[in-house]
Amino acid sequence: MLYFVLIIHVIVSFFIVGIILLQQGSSADLAGAFGGQGSQTAFGPRGATTLLTKLTAWSAVLFMITSISLTVMLSRSSGDHSVLSGAGHPVTQTTPKK
């Protein structure tokens, strides 16, 4: 199961990179370059949601789900190796003899 989720995670990672590179910037048109309507707002005018933005959102959700599930699966398989796992035990220090 771990390897299956890992393969899905890598595929989704490459898909996110590709889908983001295909998208056009928010003010990448010619009007935004010369101070047109695109530069009146902080990130340009909001248009209709395209298929690429929907795919980006769903793949980001899938990426987060696979990331969390990989973290949980790896922590269960490797045992309790937390930094704070030994916090309740008293620390003993020895001083060297002079």
Side-chain angles (χ1 to χ4, degrees):
M1 185 71 176
L2 178 71
Y3 293 115
F4 175 72
V5 175
L6 184 64
I7 290 170
I8 296 297
H9 186 72
V10 170
I11 290 171
V12 169
S13 301
F14 284 126
F15 183 74
I16 287 176
V17 169
I19 207 79
I20 288 175
L21 289 176
L22 286 175
Q23 291 182 12
Q24 184 180 12
S26 61
S27 63
D29 56 349
L30 190 61
F34 294 106
Q37 182 182 2
S39 64
Q40 297 299 320
T41 59
F43 297 108
R46 293 278 311 187
T49 305
T50 63
L51 178 66
L52 290 177
T53 56
K54 288 181 183 180
L55 286 175
T56 304
W58 282 106
S59 57
V61 168
L62 187 61
F63 179 82
M64 291 179 210
I65 290 171
T66 56
S67 297
I68 292 171
S69 62
L70 279 173
T71 303
V72 169
M73 281 191 264
L74 286 174
S75 68
R76 287 183 181 174
S77 67
S78 65
D80 188 23
H81 294 292
S82 174
V83 176
L84 299 175
S85 63
H89 302 290
V91 178
T92 59
Q93 293 181 345
T94 59
T95 58
K97 293 181 182 180
K98 293 184 178 182

